[in-house]
Amino acid sequence: MRGARRRISATAVALVMVAGAIALIPGSPANATDRSIPRMDRNADGRGDFGLLRMTSATSYTTFWRNFSNFATDPPFGDPSLGDIPIAGDFDGDGINDPAVVRPGAAYQWVILLSTTGFTVAESTAFGSDNGGGAANDDVPLTGDIDGDGRTDFFVFRPGTPARWFVLSRAGGFGQVAFGDTGSVPNDDAPALGDLDGDGRSDLIIRRTAGNGSSFFHIRFATGAFSSVNFGNTADPYVAGDFDGDGIGDITVVQTLGNGDYLWVILRSLGGVVTFRFGNAGPGDVLVQNDYDGNGFTDIAVWRPGATGTLFIQPVPFGPVSAPPFGTVGDIPLLQCFNGYQNLQSIGVGPCT
């Protein structure tokens, strides 16, 4: 593990999306709220909730939620038989996670069950495509907040030389930018999102393998500035979060050690590298980091599948480990979908669907 982050000062700019370009104009900085991971708060209490997807029929998913001693269940939504990809976000900005899927095809359909309608009205938006030519050419769906308005926006990463990012904001703006390369050797760029300057807007991240098996993170900030850091190994999944509580996302990877233990390696935006050993590959632990206690720090967490699943949470910056039982065999953590698409891989029980 080597290298250190090159810090770039953010200027007071607002990002305006127009067809064919991403332009910058003077504006006011957004609130410094980390948007590295989607809002997963089922009851708007400011604490992250843990959601499990369960295929309750051949044609529907149901999401079950747990927050400490509280439980909730979303209405059945999405259709596994159509290849629906569950996604996460707060698309109407009310502080509550909205059930949503991306339905693949020649035109992707983003189908959302809005909490502001009492989870009764489904909204569908066409955005993205499978592009033909097999899975390697498919747009990769991602969720983030491009304009800092607190509503989750639609992103797709389109493989190619160059790779292209397309963004559709909930405010109605559209933009695209060339960033990354998946089509020329040795480039194998994988996309991710995170707020790495603390302006409340998602920054574009590509991860590229270096010649020695390590990886580079190349960042295009919402301001238009660029930065790069050599950190982690290619096989180490990237996990998004703010582990030092300063409102800025920290570049974090998770290594699997020889005994199966997970080692969380965090490049702190405040400076320095810290590590936590938590979770193990043997029982199939799935990475499910979130701010479960609402203190502004992303907590280290894994979900262990089984006849009775268990959510293990290590509070950050300190606190005793909690291990509430939740879930069963076949359940899929909603955060696994998010982490998996950020890495085009996942640690644990396999891909999102």
Side-chain angles (χ1 to χ4, degrees):
M1 195 85 44
R2 58 191 176 87
R5 180 180 303 182
R6 179 165 57 90
R7 298 296 301 276
I8 298 178
S9 298
T11 55
V13 295
L15 186 136
V16 173
M17 291 165 290
V18 296
I22 294 183
L24 294 171
I25 64 171
S28 300
N31 294 329
T33 301
D34 175 46
R35 304 200 187 282
S36 293
I37 61 176
R39 178 176 293 280
M40 293 194 186
D41 184 350
R42 183 56 171 74
N43 55 1
D45 66 353
R47 299 183 297 182
D49 299 329
F50 179 64
L52 280 175
L53 290 161
R54 185 173 300 165
M55 198 170 75
T56 46
S57 77
T59 58
S60 68
Y61 289 112
T62 299
T63 304
F64 298 88
W65 294 92
R66 174 165 189 151
N67 184 333
F68 295 93
S69 60
N70 300 315
F71 299 88
T73 303
D74 287 344
F77 190 69
D79 189 339
S81 70
L82 298 177
D84 285 356
I85 301 166
I87 55 174
D90 174 15
F91 297 92
D92 48 22
D94 67 347
I96 298 174
N97 189 87
D98 304 304
V101 297
V102 175
R103 185 161 294 160
Y108 288 179
Q109 293 293 324
W110 297 63
V111 188
I112 306 165
L113 196 60
L114 297 172
S115 57
T116 48
T117 69
F119 302 107
T120 60
V121 177
E123 173 188 289
S124 183
T125 303
F127 187 63
S129 172
D130 63 11
N131 300 315
N137 296 315
D138 290 354
D139 287 350
V140 178
L142 298 162
T143 53
D145 185 355
I146 193 62
D147 48 18
D149 67 354
R151 293 180 291 178
T152 300
D153 302 315
F154 307 152
F155 291 73
V156 295
F157 172 82
R158 182 165 296 168
T161 303
R164 301 195 69 85
W165 297 73
F166 297 85
V167 186
L168 181 63
S169 82
R170 296 292 289 170
F174 170 80
Q176 60 173 298
V177 64
F179 183 54
D181 184 355
T182 63
S184 61
V185 177
N187 295 336
D188 57 350
D189 294 352
L193 293 169
D195 179 11
L196 300 183
D197 56 7
D199 68 352
R201 298 175 291 173
S202 295
D203 305 309
L204 311 183
I205 304 169
I206 57 170
R207 187 179 186 184
R208 180 173 297 169
T209 301
N212 59 359
S214 66
S215 61
F216 273 97
F217 289 88
H218 300 287
I219 305 153
R220 188 191 192 281
F221 294 98
T223 62
F226 293 87
S227 184
S228 297
V229 62
N230 182 202
F231 189 69
N233 299 313
T234 305
D236 304 336
Y238 163 76
V239 293
D242 174 15
F243 295 91
D244 53 20
D246 64 348
I248 301 173
D250 304 306
I251 294 179
T252 302
V253 298
V254 180
Q255 300 176 345
T256 301
L257 304 180
N259 65 351
D261 284 353
Y262 293 162
L263 185 69
W264 301 60
V265 186
I266 302 167
L267 180 60
R268 302 193 319 152
S269 58
L270 291 174
V273 175
V274 296
T275 61
F276 291 89
R277 187 178 292 208
F278 197 75
N280 189 277
D285 290 352
V286 180
L287 309 176
V288 291
Q289 77 285 358
N290 206 343
D291 181 9
Y292 289 103
D293 52 15
N295 67 349
F297 293 77
T298 300
D299 300 312
I300 292 173
V302 298
W303 180 73
R304 182 165 296 171
T308 299
T310 306
L311 174 63
F312 294 92
I313 303 172
Q314 171 60 68
V316 178
F318 52 80
V321 174
S322 62
F326 192 53
T328 189
V329 174
D331 289 347
I332 302 171
L334 189 55
L335 260 167
Q336 183 181 344
C337 305
F338 176 77
N339 285 337
Y341 277 93
Q342 290 250 46
N343 290 282
L344 305 183
Q345 61 175 324
S346 61
I347 279 184
V349 296
C352 175
T353 55

